[in-house]
């Protein structure tokens, strides 16, 4: 975008784990560089121009939002697998280790064909964007060329993302395994260089991420080499899986008998730090929670996948009380939906499942442990919490001057195309201002879909959403 833009209307802004601002009649000014310039709350329509002039903005375009629209920060998907989208909706009869061998690895192996990769990733990326995900942590496959193609496509679409090629040199089928630690590292370095060459430093929306698939698929030598690569480059993000499934944990302990724990395996090799994203963490031991907190690594909570692959229910409330960073992940295709809205709903259900035995008790310690997650917390996990997990909370996750305008315009009117939204039955017409906005947000989180997401912006640039698709 090349000129400043000002939006006038309702804004939802996550603030902390237990609070968000619902701001009707807001002026939200975006700079020509796509950053938030200022937010002024509760401005009378007749005072818009005067308010802008007081802040030095004259003759600037003001975009009014409709009565049933609001702006919110874009969703952050802290964990998904680009090459598994063709498998969406299949494999739920398996548990993790059998699912990988029978369903996942055979599909990922197909990405040795760059044309298949290009075709698939082109539709994957626009689909993820149209679901409101402005920042996404993608796993590719083990293939260098396909992973470069994934990064190129994301870059061309203007989405913010971390992109990694999987490191995996053992316990994988012969048709889908890396030959050695040396070749795995060589390809990883090539992908890092390729991604960092896409945009000038400081303006890069796509960044590389080290992606040891999980401890089981990496030899000690490979983990050690990845740790060395990480130690020379603090900006390099790291993503992996941890403690998702009980058979996986048992096998990990067999493979690394000297490690104090599963988290301890990653820590031993220097892979646990402030920009490490750990997917799942369903069955973490108390000492692992402490270690992860000490290292400032984050958990990607993937409840849809944890239900679908019968992995278990992560005690997210406990993690929040203990001070862990937590965000949400779709984990396609362990999870059967690419929408963070589904992750929000399943995170809510997961917390309710955990809370059921404690119903009606008033002696539960902590604020979140063994309790339902309230709406502000669900919103936080999907936005600012995800930004913290990605170590990007200074740039994204909420609206504040200087942060990037990574945002959604949400339409909860009867014209959205989502039949759950009648004109507008789910919001009491007698409600006004803040209460109506809170009701619209709740309806969107619990029964919204991509039909309600009319525009998706990253760094101020329109990159997707329903209106964008129509214009396309
Ligand atoms: N653990 C190792 N690889 C995977 C994967 O692709 N998906 C999930 N859910 N867990 C994993
Ligand atoms: Zn995963």
């Amino acid at each position: 975008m090349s000129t400043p833009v000002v939006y006038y209307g309702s804004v939802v802004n996550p603030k902390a784990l237990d609070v968000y601002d619902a701001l009707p009649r807001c002026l939200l000014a975006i700079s020509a560089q796509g950053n938030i310039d200022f937010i002024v709350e509760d401005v009378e329509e007749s005072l818009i121009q005067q308010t802008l002039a007081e802040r030095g903005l004259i003759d600037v375009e003001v975009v009014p939002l409709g009565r049933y629209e609001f702006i919110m920060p874009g969703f952050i998907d802290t964990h998904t697998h680009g090459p598994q989208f063709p498998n969406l909706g299949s494999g739920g009869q398996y548990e993790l280790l059998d699912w990988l061998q029978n369903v996942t690895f055979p599909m990922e192996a197909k990405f040795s064909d760059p044309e298949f990769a290009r075709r698939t990733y082109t539709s994957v990326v626009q689909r993820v964007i149209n679901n409101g995900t402005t920042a996404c942590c993608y796993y590719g496959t083990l293939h260098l060329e396909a992973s470069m193609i994934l990064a190129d496509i994301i870059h061309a679409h203007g989405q913010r993302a971390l992109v990694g090629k999987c490191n995996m040199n053992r316990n994988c089928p012969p048709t889908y395994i890396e030959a050695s630690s040396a070749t795995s590292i060589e390809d990883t370095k090539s992908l890092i260089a390729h991604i960092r060459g896409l945009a000038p430093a400081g303006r890069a929306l796509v960044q590389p991420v080290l992606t040891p698939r999980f401890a089981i698929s990496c030899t000690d030598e490979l983990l050690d080499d990845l740790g060395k690569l990480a130690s020379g480059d603090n900006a390099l993000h790291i993503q992996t899986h941890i403690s998702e499934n009980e058979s996986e944990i048992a096998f990990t302990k067999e493979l690394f008998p000297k490690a104090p724990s599963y988290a301890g395996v990653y820590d031993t090799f220097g892979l646990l730090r402030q920009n490490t994203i750990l997917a799942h963490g369903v069955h973490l031991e108390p000492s692992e929670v402490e270690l992860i907190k000490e290292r400032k690594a984050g958990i990607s909570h993937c409840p849809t996948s944890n239900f679908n692959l019968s992995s278990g229910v992560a005690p997210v409330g406990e993690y929040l009380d203990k001070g862990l960073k937590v965000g949400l992940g779709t984990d396609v295709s362990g999870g059967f939906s690419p929408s963070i809205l589904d992750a929000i709903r399943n995170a809510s259900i997961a917390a309710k499942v955990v809370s059921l035995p404690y119903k009606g008790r008033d002696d539960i310690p902590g604020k979140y442990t063994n309790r339902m997650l309230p709406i502000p917390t669900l919103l936080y996990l999907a936005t600012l919490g995800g930004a913290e997990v990605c170590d990007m909370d200074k740039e994204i996750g909420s609206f504040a001057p200087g942060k990037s305008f990574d945002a959604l315009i949400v339409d909860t009117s009867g014209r959205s195309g989502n039949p759950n939204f009648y004109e507008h039955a789910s919001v009491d017409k007698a409600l006004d201002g803040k209460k109506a906005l809170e009701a619209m947000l709740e309806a969107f989180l619990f029964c919204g879909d991509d039909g309600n997401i009319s525009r998706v912006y990253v760094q101020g640039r329109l990159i997707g959403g329903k209106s964008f698709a129509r214009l396309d």
Side-chain angles (χ1 to χ4, degrees):
M1 88 189 237
S2 52
T3 52
V5 176
V6 176
Y7 295 93
Y8 179 67
S10 293
V11 171
V12 164
N13 194 17
K15 284 282 192 200
L17 261 175
D18 55 355
V19 54
Y20 73 88
D21 284 342
L23 307 168
R25 304 199 305 176
C26 243
L27 279 174
L28 176 57
I30 316 300
S31 73
Q33 292 72 38
N35 293 319
I36 290 154
D37 196 355
F38 58 80
I39 310 174
V40 191
E41 300 169 24
D42 206 17
V43 179
E44 293 272 1
E45 208 169 337
S46 59
L47 296 178
I48 291 176
Q49 289 307 332
Q50 181 187 325
T51 310
L52 293 177
E54 282 163 6
R55 282 161 180 78
L57 284 185
I58 293 160
D59 285 341
V60 66
E61 183 191 357
V62 177
V63 180
L65 300 184
R67 162 79 175 81
Y68 296 117
E69 287 185 312
F70 63 88
I71 301 186
M72 64 173 287
F75 293 132
I76 299 178
D77 187 343
T78 57
H79 182 82
T80 199
H81 297 260
Q84 294 180 28
F85 274 65
N87 276 345
L88 270 166
S90 63
Q93 70 275 26
Y94 289 103
E95 287 201 20
L96 177 66
L97 297 180
D98 290 336
W99 171 79
L100 285 170
Q101 297 295 334
N102 291 295
V103 180
T104 306
F105 291 155
M107 173 55 71
E108 291 194 11
K110 294 186 185 180
F111 287 73
S112 59
D113 172 0
E115 272 324 300
F116 178 74
R118 188 175 303 284
R119 254 197 337 273
T120 309
Y121 286 150
T122 298
S123 76
V124 165
V125 173
Q126 191 65 59
R127 186 168 176 205
V128 174
I129 292 169
N130 289 346
N131 274 289
T133 297
T134 49
C136 188
C137 304
Y138 288 100
Y139 283 56
T141 56
L142 61 72
H143 311 101
L144 171 61
E145 192 173 355
S147 303
M148 293 197 295
I149 289 169
L150 175 58
D152 291 349
I153 291 168
I154 297 165
H155 174 69
H157 278 75
Q159 190 184 33
R160 193 181 299 276
L162 301 179
V163 180
K165 66 157 242 74
C166 287
N167 303 103
M168 40 195 288
N169 70 342
R170 69 165 161 174
N171 294 314
C172 302
T175 50
Y176 189 55
I177 189 164
E178 292 181 296
S180 67
S181 176
T183 55
S184 180
I185 295 294
E186 195 182 315
D187 284 354
T188 301
K189 286 181 175 167
S190 301
L191 181 64
I192 293 169
H194 177 80
I195 293 176
R196 287 186 171 159
L198 290 172
R203 297 228 310 274
L205 294 175
V206 185
Q207 295 177 60
V209 52
L210 291 185
T211 307
R213 182 168 203 126
F214 64 164
I216 289 174
S217 69
C218 301
T219 58
D220 287 57
E221 184 190 9
L222 179 52
L223 290 173
D224 193 43
D225 287 344
L226 287 165
K228 286 183 180 132
L229 196 51
S231 76
D233 189 345
N234 274 329
L236 201 49
H237 289 76
I238 300 162
Q239 61 181 358
T240 190
H241 296 86
I242 194 168
S243 201
E244 174 178 359
N245 165 289
E246 278 160 346
S247 309
E248 170 213 12
I249 296 166
F251 192 21
T252 304
K253 288 184 173 166
E254 253 177 61
L255 292 171
F256 299 92
K258 291 202 197 107
S261 63
Y262 195 156
V265 173
Y266 295 133
D267 192 49
T268 306
F269 293 105
L271 293 167
L272 219 51
R273 61 187 194 184
Q274 86 293 339
N275 53 5
T276 300
I277 302 158
L278 298 166
H280 302 289
V282 176
H283 308 282
L284 295 173
E285 294 161 15
S287 66
E288 294 183 287
V289 175
E290 276 313 302
L291 177 63
I292 291 166
K293 184 183 170 189
E294 210 174 295
R295 297 287 182 263
K296 300 188 171 65
I299 299 288
S300 173
H301 177 38
C302 304
T304 313
S305 169
N306 296 338
F307 284 130
N308 191 40
L309 296 181
S310 309
S311 301
V313 182
V316 161
E318 197 180 311
Y319 297 163
L320 295 175
D321 276 334
K322 289 186 171 161
L324 287 195
K325 301 189 292 185
V326 183
L328 295 179
T330 56
D331 192 29
V332 170
S333 64
F336 44 68
S337 166
S339 171
I340 283 291
L341 286 168
D342 279 307
I344 289 171
R345 288 160 205 160
N346 284 313
S348 172
I349 290 171
K352 284 183 181 172
V353 168
V354 170
S355 77
L356 285 177
Y358 300 86
K359 211 158 114 179
R361 279 174 47 176
D362 53 13
D363 60 339
I364 324 170
K367 197 164 173 187
Y368 301 102
T369 306
N370 298 326
R371 295 175 194 266
M372 301 191 313
L373 294 177
I375 286 170
T377 309
L378 294 167
L379 174 68
Y380 185 88
L381 293 176
T383 55
L384 197 48
E388 286 176 353
V389 167
C390 296
D391 200 28
M392 294 182 188
D393 48 306
K394 289 197 176 64
E395 293 92 46
I396 55 171
S398 63
F399 299 137
K403 278 194 164 186
S404 170
F405 186 62
D406 287 21
L408 313 180
I409 296 189
V410 178
D411 172 12
T412 65
S413 77
R415 292 175 305 284
S416 67
N418 177 345
N420 288 323
F421 290 78
Y422 304 93
E423 193 59 61
H424 183 281
S426 55
V427 175
D428 184 339
K429 287 197 163 59
L431 294 176
D432 206 6
K434 197 169 148 62
K435 286 256 168 300
L437 181 50
E438 287 169 353
M440 283 191 274
L441 175 68
E442 181 174 0
F444 174 57
L445 296 186
F446 285 93
C447 64
D449 63 23
D450 52 347
N452 300 102
I453 300 173
S454 46
R455 285 169 187 254
V456 179
Y457 294 90
V458 170
Q459 196 70 55
R461 177 180 162 202
L462 179 64
I463 65 162
K466 218 172 104 183
S467 323
F468 179 81
R470 262 200 232 115
L471 296 172
D472 219 12

